[in-house]
Amino acid sequence: MTQVMHHVILFLSAFSCVFCNTDDIGISVTPSLDAGPINWKQTITITCTWTPGKFKFADILVGAESIFNHPVYADIVNLEDPEARLYFTQDPDVGTAELIIKDITKEDESQYTCSVSRIGPGGSVTLEVLEPPTAGVTGLTATPDFTSVHLTWEAVEGATNYNVAWRAAGTEAWTDVDVAGTEHTFEGLNVASDYEAKATASNPAGIRDGIEPAETTFTTKDNRPPHPVGGLNVHEADYNATTITLSWELQDNIDENRIITGITAAAVKEGAAEGDPAVVIDPQELGADATSVTFELPGAGDYVFTITTNNDFSAGVETSMTEIHTVKETTDPPTPEPTTPEPTKKPTTEPKKEPTTAAKEEPEVEIDIGDGGETIVCGDTRAIQPLPNTQAILKCTKHDDSAINPADIVWSFQAGDADAVEQTQIIASEIGEVANDNKSSILTIKNVDANSVGTYSCSAGENSTTCTYTVSVTTTDSTGGVAHFALSGFLSLAILLIALF
């Protein structure tokens, strides 16, 4: 039957209902209204029943308006879609009709009446919907004690229940309880510990989406006495000073979050002899985070310094650390005893030596090795007189911290006023042989004779000052020896003469 025909029949029924019996119409709601308002977001079904008969069709009035003409519901109902939020269906042959409303809200609150053509309006129900509170909890306050916390908050309109909870800071699990009022006390907490608390408002309809709980944090009171200070040390400004500074650290208390309300620093000078009274220096009251104190002492003696940590629960508990320090009579540093100087030795007379060719004194010359290194000073030119027909070994040695390669040290030889002979010619003419180790260049004169007499020089490149010495033949009754030619800096020349008899 079309909706148009349905409206026509309803219209005609108003004139033909002469002997109407409205008691013949029944109405019910699922879920039942006996328990009170319907919680929001539920699906309800309003059912109408009547005695079937010819031209008896049902309508549901919302207030005084047919559901088919209602400004909000009409378009939805006329879709005749079971999946829509409102759906109306009836079976006139059986005499039943149903109006299904999904996701019910307070906007659906009204009086719903069953009306049957040829009978008229019959039974009705008034629909009330309970929604969750529209606001969250405010004013959540925590008042902690040693092992408990008292939580209070403001009342929320529409709320009949409050869920309150606590947990230890940094943990995941909450301990919660539902209460009807606006306060609750949790017991069994730990002293001096950090916690979090939260509260949400609800009613039988639940908690509205998007409403966040009120949250707060708190720390339970600490009834533990503080630990003594650690690392107590005495510091003197000078030798036997009477101005004394003490220092310490509070890490043990920091690690356990123990409360310190103040620190007392005391000093007592002990009696110098048995029976002498001790001298008490005025104690100093310091802040809770102090880590040092300075005392001006009255003079020499033994002093006992005591540092005590305090709080409301330290009475009768040992929270002190003590250090003993002695200030001596003198305030001047000890003078070291003078040392007796060693007796002056008389000069010894050197044995007279055979005359030798006078050593030619060359001025000290600053030289550069050529690689950007430090400058060094070449030593003297030495006059050497080995025995004839013996072997002489001349050594030119670099210093340990020098970057010179001994292979780069070269030799030259000059006899009298003749032109100098380079190292290659020295080797070719068999005057001498050149060898290197990791520190030195070594020139060996294989057979000292008249051809070997002259000036030998070594150098370490073009930018190096040449270091020289002269060789002449001595008489056969002279002995061989060792002479050293030294350089201060990168390069040193050591001349080693070995006489073979």
Side-chain angles (χ1 to χ4, degrees), residues 91-286:
D91 187 347
D93 295 335
V94 178
T96 60
E98 289 182 343
L99 174 64
I100 299 173
I101 305 176
K102 300 176 181 178
D103 292 327
I104 194 168
T105 68
K106 290 190 75 66
E107 299 297 325
D108 298 313
E109 287 186 337
S110 185
Q111 180 177 344
Y112 292 79
T113 303
C114 288
S115 180
V116 179
S117 60
R118 304 194 64 181
I119 299 176
S124 64
V125 293
T126 299
L127 190 63
E128 294 182 11
V129 177
L130 179 65
E131 291 192 358
T134 57
V137 171
T138 58
L140 178 61
T141 302
T143 305
D145 208 331
F146 298 107
T147 59
S148 64
V149 62
H150 184 66
L151 300 175
T152 60
W153 56 91
E154 299 293 332
V156 177
E157 184 178 358
T160 59
N161 180 78
Y162 298 93
N163 182 266
V164 289
W166 66 266
R167 69 179 178 186
T171 63
E172 295 294 332
W174 291 91
T175 299
D176 69 329
V177 65
D178 290 318
V179 297
T182 57
E183 61 181 333
H184 184 72
T185 298
F186 286 109
E187 305 282 354
L189 308 182
N190 295 323
V191 298
S193 300
D194 296 329
Y195 292 94
E196 301 171 357
K198 66 177 181 178
T200 56
S202 65
N203 60 25
I207 299 173
R208 188 176 295 271
D209 293 342
I211 300 297
E212 296 294 331
E215 296 183 348
T216 190
T217 60
F218 63 92
T219 301
T220 51
K221 291 182 179 180
D222 190 351
N223 61 357
R224 300 170 299 171
H227 288 302
V229 301
L232 181 59
N233 285 306
V234 179
H235 308 277
E236 290 181 317
D238 297 301
Y239 182 82
N240 288 334
T242 54
T243 299
I244 300 296
T245 297
L246 294 91
S247 66
W248 57 87
E249 48 86 11
L250 304 171
Q251 196 60 47
D252 288 346
N253 289 284
I254 294 172
D255 290 343
E256 296 184 12
N257 198 29
R258 297 210 177 197
I259 295 173
I260 298 176
T261 57
I263 296 176
T264 302
V268 176
K269 180 183 179 183
E270 297 183 330
E274 185 176 354
D276 289 350
V279 178
V280 179
I281 292 88
D282 290 339
Q284 299 186 41
E285 298 297 334
L286 310 174

Side-chain angles (χ1 to χ4, degrees), residues 255-321:
D255 290 343
E256 296 184 12
N257 198 29
R258 297 210 177 197
I259 295 173
I260 298 176
T261 57
I263 296 176
T264 302
V268 176
K269 180 183 179 183
E270 297 183 330
E274 185 176 354
D276 289 350
V279 178
V280 179
I281 292 88
D282 290 339
Q284 299 186 41
E285 298 297 334
L286 310 174
D289 57 351
T291 55
S292 65
V293 67
T294 298
F295 282 99
E296 297 295 336
L297 304 180
D302 293 330
Y303 290 86
V304 178
F305 297 98
T306 304
I307 307 299
T308 305
T309 52
N310 306 307
N311 69 14
D312 293 340
F313 306 96
S314 58
V317 180
E318 183 56 62
T319 61
S320 299
M321 185 62 68

Side-chain angles (χ1 to χ4, degrees), residues 357-360 362 378-386 392-397 410-415 426 431 433 441-445 448 452-459 466-472 483-486 493-497:
T357 304
K360 180 181 179 182
E362 289 188 353
C378 191
D380 298 334
T381 297
R382 300 287 181 172
I384 306 302
Q385 290 183 316
I393 299 176
L394 314 180
K395 184 180 291 186
C396 188
T397 304
V410 294
W411 295 87
S412 63
F413 168 64
Q414 185 176 15
I426 295 175
I431 295 176
E433 296 176 345
S441 177
I442 304 166
L443 172 62
T444 302
I445 302 174
V448 177
S452 315
V453 174
T455 301
Y456 292 82
S457 304
C458 71
S459 64
T466 301
C467 302
T468 61
Y469 62 90
T470 60
V471 175
S472 60
H484 296 282
F485 182 80
L493 176 65
I495 304 170
L496 176 64
L497 302 180

Side-chain angles (χ1 to χ4, degrees), residues 459-479:
S459 64
E462 295 180 357
N463 296 324
S464 170
T465 297
T466 301
C467 302
T468 61
Y469 62 90
T470 60
V471 175
S472 60
V473 179
T474 187
T475 58
T476 57
D477 59 351
S478 297
T479 60

Side-chain angles (χ1 to χ4, degrees), residues 284-443:
Q284 299 186 41
E285 298 297 334
L286 310 174
D289 57 351
T291 55
S292 65
V293 67
T294 298
F295 282 99
E296 297 295 336
L297 304 180
D302 293 330
Y303 290 86
V304 178
F305 297 98
T306 304
I307 307 299
T308 305
T309 52
N310 306 307
N311 69 14
D312 293 340
F313 306 96
S314 58
V317 180
E318 183 56 62
T319 61
S320 299
M321 185 62 68
T322 299
E323 186 73 17
I324 300 175
H325 177 72
T326 300
V327 176
K328 297 180 181 178
E329 291 292 342
T330 178
T331 58
D332 297 324
T335 303
E337 295 182 3
T339 57
T340 304
E342 293 189 8
T344 303
K345 295 181 180 180
K346 295 182 179 180
T348 57
T349 303
E350 293 288 337
K352 186 176 181 180
K353 295 182 180 180
E354 292 291 331
T356 62
T357 304
K360 180 181 179 182
E361 297 291 334
E362 289 188 353
E364 293 184 340
V365 181
E366 291 186 346
I367 65 174
D368 190 339
I369 295 304
D371 61 351
E374 298 176 5
T375 59
I376 60 175
V377 179
C378 191
D380 298 334
T381 297
R382 300 287 181 172
I384 306 302
Q385 290 183 316
L387 293 173
N389 301 320
T390 60
Q391 188 181 73
I393 299 176
L394 314 180
K395 184 180 291 186
C396 188
T397 304
K398 75 181 186 72
H399 283 191
D400 291 337
D401 56 352
S402 171
I404 296 172
N405 187 341
D408 295 332
I409 301 174
V410 294
W411 295 87
S412 63
F413 168 64
Q414 185 176 15
D417 295 331
D419 293 335
V421 176
E422 299 299 327
Q423 178 172 297
T424 55
Q425 293 174 288
I426 295 175
I427 297 172
S429 62
E430 297 185 350
I431 295 176
E433 296 176 345
V434 177
N436 301 307
D437 58 22
N438 60 350
K439 294 183 63 175
S440 306
S441 177
I442 304 166
L443 172 62

Side-chain angles (χ1 to χ4, degrees), residues 45-48 50 58 60 87-91 96-100:
T45 301
I46 300 175
T47 302
C48 296
W50 67 94
I60 292 182
Y87 176 64
F88 180 78
T89 181
Q90 65 176 306
D91 187 347
T96 60
E98 289 182 343
L99 174 64
I100 299 173

